[in-house]
């Protein structure tokens, strides 16, 4: 999971938005910062983000054609002028190796499992937003916890999580303590892979949980004040 805030990426201008939720995959490229504490990016995240770039995946899929042209130069021109086999290879890699068909995706989870997973996500997201709003002393407005996942199944899940405010609208800047709070969204009982499974089964990899900060309890506000 990568917590998306202006502090955790080198190009925060890509987070500018006109409406909630702000989508990322397929629209902008983010460049994570390597930083201490919660929210920093390691080499694994960088490689996973690079793999998400479709053009680069297409080039990797076409490596056998490049090798064939190098090893058999007399056939190089014929190989270069054979776009149909190249398209077939790209389609096979994208649609068969990396992704699931719609039927196989739906079989990952039943409707009841999807509903239970969404209920758990909403419960945890509301808890996170409530504590965050209490800690900031917010009295009005609506916050959104937005969880966006890559649709690629046969790779480690890539999950982007952000807190977005309707006022602005904007992707909120989060302190390290707030990022640690958001990081508790997943654990051993509810993992990113669990969410991806139900997301693919339901055909929706963007989840947006809204919370009206007027719903923060007096107990939560007192706890934040004491803390």
């Amino acid at each position: 999971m990568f917590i998306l805030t202006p502090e955790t990426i080198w190009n925060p201008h890509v987070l500018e938005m006109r409406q909630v939720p702000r989508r990322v995959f397929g629209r902008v490229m983010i460049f994570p910062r390597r930083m201490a504490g919660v929210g920093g990016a390691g080499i694994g995240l960088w490689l996973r983000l690079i793999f998400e770039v479709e053009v680069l995946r297409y080039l990797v899929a076409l490596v056998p054609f490049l090798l064939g042209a190098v090893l058999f130069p007399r056939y190089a021109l014929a190989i270069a002028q054979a776009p149909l086999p190249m398209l077939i290879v790209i389609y096979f890699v994208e649609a068969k190796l990396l992704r699931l068909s719609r039927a196989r995706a739906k079989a990952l989870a039943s409707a009841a499992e999807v509903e239970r997973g969404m209920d758990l996500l909403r419960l945890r997201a509301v808890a996170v937003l409530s504590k965050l709003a209490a800690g900031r002393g917010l009295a009005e407005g609506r916050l959104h916890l937005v969880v966006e996942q890559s649709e690629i199944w046969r790779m480690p899940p890539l999950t982007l999580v952000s807190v977005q405010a309707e006022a602005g609208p904007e992707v909120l800047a989060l302190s390290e303590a707030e990022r640690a709070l958001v990081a508790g969204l997943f654990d051993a009982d509810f993992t990113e892979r669990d969410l991806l499974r139900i997301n693919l089964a339901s055909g929706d990899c963007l989840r947006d949980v809204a919370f009206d900060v007027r719903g923060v309890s007096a107990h939560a506000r007192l706890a934040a004040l004491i803390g």
Side-chain angles (χ1 to χ4, degrees), residues 83-166:
L84 183 58
M86 295 182 186
L87 292 176
I88 292 175
V89 168
I90 291 175
Y91 171 80
F92 177 79
V93 170
E94 288 290 316
K96 302 299 183 181
L97 291 183
L98 298 180
R99 303 174 190 270
L100 298 177
S101 66
R102 186 70 195 109
R104 295 184 66 182
K106 289 187 67 174
L108 289 175
S110 66
E113 290 174 316
V114 170
E115 189 58 34
R116 284 195 298 270
M118 288 298 95
D119 286 343
L120 181 57
L121 178 66
R122 284 190 289 268
L123 182 65
R124 294 188 176 195
V126 167
V128 169
L129 294 175
S130 178
K131 292 179 181 178
L132 191 148
R136 293 189 172 209
L138 299 179
E140 61 180 14
R142 285 170 62 86
L143 299 179
H144 295 249
L145 191 69
V146 179
V147 184
E148 186 176 4
Q149 290 191 303
S150 165
E151 297 179 356
I152 296 177
W153 173 252
R154 292 186 177 89
M155 289 289 290
L158 178 57
T159 308
L160 303 180
V161 182
S162 61
V163 178
Q164 303 178 15
E166 290 185 3

Side-chain angles (χ1 to χ4, degrees), residues 15 64 78 141 177 193:
L15 300 181
R193 177 65 71 174

Side-chain angles (χ1 to χ4, degrees), residues 50-67:
I50 291 173
F51 190 81
E52 201 64 25
V53 180
E54 288 185 342
V55 174
L56 297 181
R57 293 203 305 272
Y58 297 165
L59 292 177
V60 172
L62 295 178
V63 165
F65 292 93
L66 177 61
L67 291 177

